[in-house]
Amino acid sequence: MAGETLVLRPSFAALVAAEEELGPLFALVERAAEGRLALGEMVGLFWHCLRDRPAALTRDTLGDAVTAQGLTRAMAPLKMLIGQILAGR
């Protein structure tokens, strides 16, 4: 994003925070598998799982970056993140 590599890590704390906001993770994974995951949910999951979040990065900026790159490119990190959530580290 903007020449910077962001790392997503589904830590316990990150997943609990995501679940508090987005609802149960299994339901989120099911929606993603069915192609029904909303853009805001994807950005929310990314936001909570960002490791070493840059201080200047806002959630709106992250959302704008996902939108700018397109959903097709955002699917690769989403699939990897969901795979890590389901399989563990």
Side-chain angles (χ1 to χ4, degrees), residues 24-35:
L25 292 176
F26 280 110
L28 185 128
V29 169
E30 286 177 353
R31 286 193 303 278
E34 295 169 355

Side-chain angles (χ1 to χ4, degrees), residues 8 21-22 37-50 58-67 71 74 78:
L8 300 171
E21 176 186 342
L22 305 170
L37 189 68
L39 177 61
E41 291 176 311
M42 179 190 309
V43 171
L45 183 60
F46 287 170
W47 180 255
H48 289 294
C49 291
L50 273 175
T58 67
R59 190 163 171 165
D60 285 340
T61 304
L62 179 62
D64 288 343
V66 168
T67 303
L71 292 178
L78 179 64

Side-chain angles (χ1 to χ4, degrees), residues 8-17 25 48-50 81 85 89:
L8 300 171
R9 287 281 183 247
S11 68
F12 176 75
L15 295 178
V16 168
L25 292 176
H48 289 294
C49 291
L50 273 175
L81 184 58
I85 291 169
R89 291 195 231 175

